[in-house]
Amino acid sequence: WYGRTIIRSRHELHYQQAQDIVDSKAPAPGDELPAQDRRTLAWVLDILTRLTASLHAIRVENGALELSSSELRFTTDEKGQPVAVKAKPKVPMMDVVAEMMIWTNAAVAQRTATAFPGAALLRNHPPPREEAFEQVRAVLEQGALGPSSKILAGVDPSNNQSLSRALEDACKQASGKDAAVAQLLKSLTTRAMSEAKYFSTGAAAPGTAGAYHYGLALQFYTHFTSPIRRYADVVAHRQLLAALQASRQPLQHEQGPEPISVQPALPPPIPHAELMVMAERMNEQHRASKAAQKECMELYLLLLLHSQPHVESALLIGLQGLDQLDVFVPSIQIRGRVRMVDSRGRVQVPLTGAEEGDDAVAAAASSATLSLSVSEDKQHVAILDTTTDTPVWSASVLERVWLMMDADGSRAHGPRLRMRLAAASHPMVQAKQAEAKQ
């Protein structure tokens, strides 16, 4: 059934508050509710949780992908300057709401596409472009990420069911070694995805490949649930209202050998040609907003690191050439590169915290007794003291390393991310480890 309703809301819950009710946890300060309301909400939220788990399982079985999000959250001071950063926290209740929204969008898409098969606003997500997935495959086929990466490397990305199962299997295997590897596999797959776009069904008939949503594994999909922040949702609301209006028209009786009653067809609220122009404009704006969000996030991170260098645990994921390390920082979901040799060819040793400025760092790294050693299969790297032929520092692919992350800048250019190795004895590393144990 589709129709307009009135919702009488007794409580407005935030995600963690709802999750605490489901988990039977004591409410946080300010989240208290009457006991009877908590019992009622616990019952309702439990039903929703089990329902959405079943709905999600249906989509996964059909090929829906479990991809990653690299959204960061910044804390700012009174002047708007970033003072802290963390990855957007994940609360299970978010998945409950997201799944309900996905199926609402899908239901509206099917209803409007049925009513206006030549001029409904839907959303198409095509399979990954082969060349984009080849970049992912190039990393995976090296085997640097372990056996789990080879499972994903051999999959046919045009089939979302095959990719979904391969990604799930690879992540299960990877998580046994380090959950960050699974995060990285999802991040690499996410980067290979094609861009989803709005379109009019007059350009691609519903039920065809041109109308399919690859990532969600749905034949019909649109954006309907957020009309306060997206114009596409406003259009979808107008089309749904028009479709409901058409269904209320009196039946027309057609004479013939077998008289039948049919619903009269109404013209779409927006003709196909006009809707295609609108869809392209929405795609442009959506693309621009995503780019602006990404650049803003990167700028805020650089501003933060420029004023407050951070120490983070990172996963060594490969070697680039003979003197650079590829790393993945799971806490903030970014990849980067660490130069092991400076511009003068001097090995850069891990920072210990005793340095005072870049000159001192360079001087400490310039010892003629140090050399960089990389194994033939590029799975191991070490800094050797050539006088004793013993390692000063060493690591293997898929091992954790400590990084000092900051941002250098000058009057000629803005801040740029810089990553350097940090020793386990560095005071900031020890503080980070102590914080993690609390």
Side-chain angles (χ1 to χ4, degrees):
W1 179 83
Y2 297 82
R4 281 182 159 172
T5 61
I6 296 176
I7 298 175
R8 186 170 62 182
S9 178
R10 296 188 60 175
H11 299 290
E12 182 180 358
L13 308 179
H14 58 78
Y15 287 119
Q16 190 58 60
Q17 184 182 14
Q19 190 64 48
D20 288 344
I21 293 174
V22 171
D23 296 338
S24 300
K25 291 184 178 179
D31 289 349
E32 298 87 354
L33 296 173
Q36 179 58 44
D37 287 0
R38 278 185 65 90
R39 285 192 292 270
T40 302
L41 285 168
W43 174 68
V44 171
L45 291 173
D46 178 66
I47 292 174
L48 282 177
T49 299
R50 289 186 284 113
L51 170 63
T52 52
S54 298
L55 292 173
H56 180 73
I58 292 172
R59 291 195 304 106
V60 170
E61 181 65 24
N62 291 334
L65 299 174
E66 301 279 0
L67 301 177
S68 69
S69 171
S70 57
E71 198 170 338
L72 300 180
R73 288 287 184 264
F74 293 91
T75 302
T76 57
D77 60 18
E78 64 278 0
K79 295 182 180 179
Q81 295 298 307
V83 295
V85 63
K86 63 179 180 180
K88 181 180 178 180
K90 186 68 179 292
V91 179
M93 191 54 59
M94 292 178 177
D95 293 332
V96 173
V97 174
E99 197 66 33
M100 295 301 293
M101 292 173 70
I102 287 170
W103 285 96
T104 300
N105 287 334
V108 170
Q110 184 167 5
R111 184 68 178 82
T112 57
T114 301
F116 310 115
L121 182 69
L122 299 190
R123 193 157 172 80
N124 166 240
H125 182 216
R129 292 175 293 108
E130 185 59 35
E131 57 269 27
F133 200 80
E134 278 299 323
Q135 297 175 10
V136 176
R137 190 176 279 122
V139 176
L140 299 173
E141 286 179 342
Q142 295 173 4
L145 301 184
S148 57
S149 63
K150 293 185 177 180
I151 297 173
L152 196 54
V155 74
D156 175 12
S158 66
N159 186 315
N160 59 352
Q161 287 183 314
S162 297
L163 180 57
S164 176
R165 288 165 188 161
L167 181 60
E168 182 181 8
D169 291 344
C171 288
K172 283 180 179 178
Q173 282 197 20
S175 295
K177 184 174 182 64
D178 190 331
V181 181
Q183 285 182 272
L184 176 62
L185 292 175
K186 288 185 178 182
S187 176
L188 289 170
T189 307
T190 302
R191 288 174 178 267
M193 289 297 106
S194 299
E195 180 186 41
K197 295 182 178 180
Y198 299 107
F199 72 100
S200 167
T201 50
T208 64
Y212 184 65
H213 200 293
Y214 175 94
L216 297 177
L218 292 170
Q219 288 290 347
F220 297 88
Y221 197 70
T222 192
H223 278 160
F224 171 83
T225 55
S226 300
I228 62 172
R229 66 183 180 89
R230 270 191 313 235
Y231 184 65
D233 301 63
V234 175
V235 173
H237 272 254
R238 292 172 178 170
Q239 291 190 329
L240 178 60
L241 289 174
L244 298 180
Q245 181 64 32
S247 67
R248 288 193 288 267
Q249 296 296 311
L251 296 178
Q252 291 181 348
H253 304 286
E254 296 186 356
Q255 301 299 321
E258 296 183 6
I260 58 174
S261 298
V262 298
Q263 195 79 51
L266 290 183
I270 306 173
H272 165 66
E274 184 180 345
L275 188 60
M276 281 297 294
V277 174
M278 294 171 64
E280 187 54 41
R281 176 63 174 168
M282 292 176 207
N283 291 330
E284 291 174 1
Q285 292 298 96
H286 184 73
R287 197 178 303 122
S289 66
K290 286 183 64 177
Q293 181 184 29
K294 179 176 180 291
E295 291 176 9
C296 183
M297 184 176 68
E298 291 173 349
L299 177 59
Y300 262 62
L301 180 60
L302 291 172
L303 288 173
L304 173 63
L305 295 176
H306 186 61
S307 61
Q308 299 178 34
H310 277 51
V311 161
E312 297 290 347
S313 173
L315 187 72
L316 177 58
I317 60 175
L319 279 75
Q320 186 71 22
L322 297 176
D323 61 356
Q324 297 183 76
L325 309 181
D326 285 330
V327 294
F328 174 68
V329 185
S331 61
I332 51 176
Q333 295 277 299
I334 65 170
R335 294 173 63 191
R337 189 162 290 172
V338 179
R339 294 183 63 88
M340 297 294 291
V341 178
D342 66 15
S343 58
R344 299 182 183 181
R346 299 175 298 196
V347 176
Q348 301 193 85
V349 295
L351 302 174
T352 64
E355 301 83 5
E356 294 182 3
D358 290 343
D359 291 340
V361 174
S366 64
S367 173
T369 63
L370 297 180
S371 67
L372 192 63
S373 172
V374 177
S375 64
E376 188 174 343
D377 60 2
K378 291 190 174 183
Q379 297 293 295
H380 311 279
V381 59
I383 299 174
L384 300 178
D385 183 338
T386 56
T387 60
T388 60
D389 201 30
T390 56
V392 174
W393 174 90
S394 64
S396 299
V397 170
L398 292 190
E399 284 187 356
R400 291 289 188 127
V401 297
W402 285 101
L403 296 182
M404 174 69 73
M405 299 173 55
D406 61 7
D408 61 351
S410 73
R411 297 178 65 181
H413 61 77
R416 293 184 295 195
L417 179 63
R418 178 172 58 175
M419 294 180 170
R420 293 176 289 177
L421 292 174
S425 59
H426 195 293
M428 291 179 66
V429 172
Q430 294 183 340
K432 193 83 172 180
Q433 291 174 319
E435 178 185 338
K437 292 178 180 178
Q438 294 178 353

